[in-house]
Amino acid sequence: MGLWKRNAALDYRKKDRFKRFKTGVQIVIVLALIYVLFEALAGTDPHIEPDRSAWTSDKGFIAVSYFGVSRSGTPKLIAKSQLNEQLKALYDQGYVTISQQDIIDYYRNGTKLPDKALFLSFEDGRNDSALFAEPYLERYNYRATVMTYANKMGNSERKFLQPSDLKKMQKSGYWELGSNGYRLAYINVVDSEGNFIGVKDESELRNKLKIDYYNHYLMDFIRDSDMIPTENRQEMEQRINADYEQMKKIYTSSLGFVPNVYMIMHANTLGEGMNRLVSNVNESNIEELFKIHFNREGDAYNGKKDSIYDLTRVQPQAYWQTNHLLMRIKANTDDNLQFVVGDKKRANDWKLVSGAAEFRDNRIALTSEAGGAGMLLLQGSEKDRDIRVSATLNGNVVGKQSIYLRYDQGRDTYVLVTLDNNELLVEQKAGQSVEQIAKIQLDEIDWKNKDLALNKATSYTTQQMSEVDLTEETQYPVNIKSARKLELSLQGDKLGVKVDGESLLTGETIDGSLASGSIALESMYHEQKDNDDIYDALFDDVEVRQLNADGSAGDKLYSNRLTGIEFVVGTAQRTWNRMIDWAIETF
């Protein structure tokens, strides 16, 4: 009987502790909801104009323009959380947004700008871009320009902002208005089977994955399947003039004015190898209707010597890490920027040799230099001879993600395993030259059902279409991701390589002089047709174990995998952030 009473008392105390814990959790949730609702109902703070009298810089500005923003991200649209991280990084670097009028005054009147001036914009006039971006504009007191297509004004496509939305946004002070043109339409379209399709509106190209060549409506003569013009100069000019007239008419009737800023589609085409007659009619219309034109894309920097009708912006892709954007800006401006490190405790395990690295949870995001490499050395790993290294490589397929074994930085000797454009390359360097051990094509990656729009298609001038060699183009679009789990073992002079659990190399003999060295990670871009020479390698769940004499895994030497507590805390933090975002969007 006494034992029963003791057990009953223990059960009671357990139930009591659980009840108190449950009550505590409920109180925390209630307080959290009260805080969330308070934040949401507090309303939008007014935009605070900067003190322009304190501006003293004459060195120009950077322009950053996003295609669009979505809740969790797509191959084309940046996730709202990622947008926040990038805007925060720019804010922390001291960047101040400038208005359209600031740009006009800079070029026409020599007016000064802030030391780190930023022109921020969002293209395509999407509702979700405005919804998800505005809280961050308010947070950092940033002003942005939303670009629209005139033919979306007053139509039934509710995913695009309408005149009433745009007027309300403009009144908030956080937004200005700009234009991407009258419409998004294509000419001289050729599909992947070589069939000539001709002229198509954007909405008519349902399966854009099957398009190999195209040009934008304003960028060329309309041509036949042999690329011979089907219209004369007068007809071409009338067609292009009509688009600009329609644009002017719609903006004037729906907004009361034509926006100051224009970003022609397609960038880097006007005046860059296109037909001079076509270029002339575009330029005359642009200078008549607009005060600012961002004609180019790729570089972020605009200086005093640039034309206000030939400005450039960088368009961060949805897959860019924050340090990718900062690296691009650094390469364009030579500004001394501080890269995002993330978890400094985890970062201390590594020595950064080149590039930039962000440590977050179980991920190491290693960003290459512009046109170069990014490299990390694992501290203290030079003493570990017989090891097994495992990691999941989550970077884009088109790019080089590498793991070095027995890397001697002084002698530049190593064993190297690289994933590059869905190929596995194994190399060694024991002397002056690099020796290829193996080159293996991995299983094909199925990407055809992904929303990639025209990323794999190519916008060419007529001259470029006659010169391009398709055999030189990459097999995959640049924004395709694929997770590959690598497991590398090196014991004595024997190398083993597994990819996704499959043994591709077993007991491969390496040079006996490669007896010691460090473990290193590397990121490098893959040369391709686009102008981005920066790459983000993503290494998840990196683990290093000692190998026993029988080849089995021994002691754990390093791991960046999350512990149970870290996983719980991270999940709670992400849940809290989602609650805040939900409340802001809802109320």
Side-chain angles (χ1 to χ4, degrees):
M1 192 72 177
L3 179 61
W4 179 87
K5 288 183 177 179
R6 284 196 298 271
N7 288 338
L10 286 172
D11 289 341
Y12 175 79
R13 285 196 292 270
K14 286 180 181 179
K15 291 179 180 179
D16 189 52
R17 283 197 299 270
F18 177 76
K19 184 177 180 181
R20 290 199 299 270
F21 173 78
K22 182 180 177 181
T23 302
V25 170
Q26 290 172 337
I27 291 172
V28 169
I29 291 173
V30 170
L31 291 174
L33 286 172
I34 292 172
Y35 174 79
V36 166
L37 290 172
F38 174 78
E39 288 289 307
L41 296 172
T44 301
D45 293 329
H47 179 265
I48 301 173
E49 289 294 328
D51 180 9
R52 291 177 171 83
S53 65
W55 293 358
T56 59
S57 175
D58 200 40
K59 67 180 184 181
F61 63 97
I62 64 169
V64 178
S65 188
Y66 292 91
F67 287 113
V69 189
S70 72
R71 187 180 303 277
S72 56
T74 74
K76 293 287 289 183
L77 307 179
I78 190 171
K80 62 179 183 177
S81 59
Q82 196 174 352
L83 173 68
N84 179 39
E85 291 166 12
Q86 293 183 7
L87 295 185
K88 182 181 185 302
L90 293 172
Y91 179 82
D92 289 344
Q93 304 285 341
Y95 280 99
V96 176
T97 52
I98 57 175
S99 68
Q100 297 172 13
Q101 190 61 49
D102 292 328
I103 294 176
I104 295 169
D105 291 342
Y106 173 71
Y107 283 106
R108 294 187 178 175
N109 306 323
T111 305
K112 303 299 182 183
L113 295 175
D115 184 56
K116 288 185 175 179
L118 163 66
F119 181 78
L120 182 63
S121 57
F122 295 85
E123 301 188 37
D124 286 0
R126 298 177 59 97
N127 252 319
D128 44 9
S129 293
L131 172 67
F132 297 131
E134 185 161 317
Y136 305 129
L137 299 183
E138 180 184 350
R139 181 176 299 176
Y140 305 115
N141 196 44
Y142 272 1
R143 171 178 281 147
T145 291
V146 59
M147 317 300 295
T148 59
Y149 286 101
N151 74 331
K152 303 300 182 184
M153 300 289 103
N155 70 8
S156 58
E157 294 183 76
R158 287 304 301 170
K159 76 173 183 178
F160 295 104
L161 293 161
Q162 297 303 311
S164 58
D165 304 317
L166 296 169
K167 291 175 183 178
K168 182 179 178 181
M169 290 165 63
Q170 193 177 24
K171 287 181 181 179
S172 74
Y174 291 102
W175 295 97
E176 294 184 288
L177 309 185
S179 177
N180 277 131
Y182 167 53
R183 57 178 164 175
L184 188 57
Y186 307 107
I187 59 174
N188 309 331
V189 181
V190 179
D191 70 16
S192 57
E193 298 176 357
N195 300 313
F196 184 78
I197 299 176
V199 181
K200 292 290 180 181
D201 186 80
E202 191 270 343
S203 62
E204 296 178 288
L205 291 177
R206 295 299 180 187
N207 192 350
K208 301 182 181 69
L209 294 172
K210 292 188 176 181
I211 303 302
D212 266 359
Y213 299 107
Y214 70 98
N215 216 327
H216 283 272
Y217 191 77
L218 303 178
M219 294 290 102
D220 197 5
F221 283 87
I222 292 178
R223 301 175 182 271
D224 62 18
S225 58
D226 296 317
M227 290 296 133
I228 297 173
T230 61
E231 57 185 359
N232 60 34
R233 175 179 177 178
Q234 183 179 10
E235 290 169 333
M236 175 273 294
E237 290 178 344
Q238 288 176 345
R239 172 175 60 85
I240 291 177
N241 285 333
D243 252 40
Y244 284 100
E245 280 297 320
Q246 279 294 102
M247 192 191 321
K248 179 181 178 181
K249 179 180 178 181
I250 292 172
Y251 279 129
T252 302
S253 63
S254 60
L255 298 177
F257 64 95
V258 176
N260 285 331
V261 179
Y262 185 47
M263 293 183 181
I264 196 170
M265 296 294 289
H266 190 274
N268 304 329
T269 307
L270 187 64
E272 298 291 333
M274 68 183 292
N275 186 285
R276 188 67 243 177
L277 296 175
V278 179
S279 188
N280 287 343
V281 68
N282 274 285
E283 288 171 356
S284 63
N285 276 286
I286 291 168
E287 293 185 20
E288 178 184 343
L289 282 178
F290 301 100
K291 296 179 180 179
I292 302 169
H293 181 211
F294 285 87
N295 179 43
R296 293 174 287 128
E297 183 277 328
D299 288 347
Y301 174 70
N302 296 280
K304 196 72 173 178
K305 295 182 180 179
D306 288 305
S307 166
I308 198 170
Y309 286 107
D310 190 30
L311 299 178
T312 180
R313 80 275 196 191
V314 65
Q315 293 175 309
Q317 301 297 310
Y319 56 84
W320 283 18
Q321 299 293 305
T322 300
N323 283 332
H324 192 131
L325 174 59
L326 296 179
M327 189 68 74
R328 171 54 55 210
I329 294 171
K330 181 177 184 291
N332 294 158
T333 64
D334 287 329
D335 283 348
N336 184 24
L337 301 182
Q338 299 299 313
F339 293 104
V340 177
V341 175
D343 189 331
K344 293 182 180 179
K345 183 179 178 181
R346 290 176 181 265
N348 288 338
D349 291 326
W350 297 84
K351 175 186 176 183
L352 183 66
V353 178
S354 60
E358 181 180 4
F359 296 79
R360 174 179 299 183
D361 296 334
N362 64 327
R363 169 164 291 178
I364 301 172
L366 179 58
T367 300
S368 73
E369 302 275 356
M375 178 177 276
L376 284 167
L377 286 177
L378 182 59
Q379 304 271 25
S381 61
E382 66 280 354
K383 65 181 183 297
D384 302 319
R385 172 178 165 82
D386 296 336
I387 54 172
R388 186 187 74 185
V389 180
S390 61
T392 299
L393 278 55
N394 260 312
N396 285 10
V397 175
V398 182
K400 300 179 181 181
Q401 303 176 92
S402 302
I403 299 177
Y404 285 80
L405 304 177
R406 296 185 186 171
Y407 175 53
D408 188 318
Q409 192 175 9
R411 295 168 53 215
D412 192 30
T413 58
Y414 50 77
V415 175
L416 177 62
V417 180
T418 300
L419 278 184
D420 179 18
N421 206 15
N422 204 38
E423 285 186 335
L424 180 78
L425 182 63
V426 183
E427 300 169 303
Q428 65 177 352
K429 185 172 183 287
Q432 297 299 315
S433 60
V434 177
E435 176 189 350
Q436 181 176 298
I437 297 174
K439 186 176 183 180
I440 302 170
Q441 182 69 44
L442 301 178
D443 294 339
E444 185 176 350
I445 299 165
D446 179 19
W447 56 271
K448 300 296 177 70
N449 60 346
K450 297 182 184 296
D451 177 22
L452 300 173
L454 294 177
N455 271 43
K456 192 173 184 289
T458 308
S459 174
Y460 285 115
T461 63
T462 306
Q463 178 182 353
Q464 290 169 331
M465 283 182 72
S466 67
E467 297 172 352
V468 68
D469 181 1
L470 276 176
T471 62
E472 295 180 356
E473 291 194 32
T474 178
Q475 179 184 356
Y476 297 100
V478 296
N479 56 351
I480 288 293
K481 288 185 178 292
S482 179
R484 295 287 191 184
K485 184 174 182 180
L486 264 63
E487 185 179 301
L488 316 177
S489 59
L490 186 52
Q491 187 166 32
D493 63 351
K494 302 300 181 184
L495 173 68
V497 177
K498 288 184 179 181
V499 177
D500 296 332
E502 180 183 356
S503 291
L504 301 183
L505 291 179
T506 303
E508 187 75 26
T509 302
I510 65 166
D511 193 292
S513 66
L514 299 172
S516 63
S518 300
I519 296 168
L521 308 178
E522 187 176 62
S523 169
M524 187 178 293
Y525 81 107
H526 179 102
E527 292 187 19
Q528 52 210 12
K529 65 179 182 292
D530 71 357
N531 57 8
D532 184 24
D533 57 359
I534 299 170
Y535 179 71
D536 300 316
L538 306 179
F539 300 91
D540 293 352
D541 294 325
V542 179
E543 183 178 88
V544 181
R545 284 186 177 272
Q546 188 75 43
L547 284 180
N548 297 321
D550 62 358
S552 61
D555 294 340
K556 186 186 298 182
L557 303 175
Y558 168 81
S559 176
N560 76 330
R561 294 177 177 175
L562 293 177
T563 65
I565 293 176
E566 289 172 331
F567 176 80
V568 170
V569 171
T571 301
Q573 182 64 54
R574 286 188 290 272
T575 301
W576 171 261
N577 291 337
R578 283 196 293 268
M579 289 170 62
I580 295 290
D581 289 342
W582 170 82
I584 291 172
E585 293 162 17
T586 303
F587 296 99

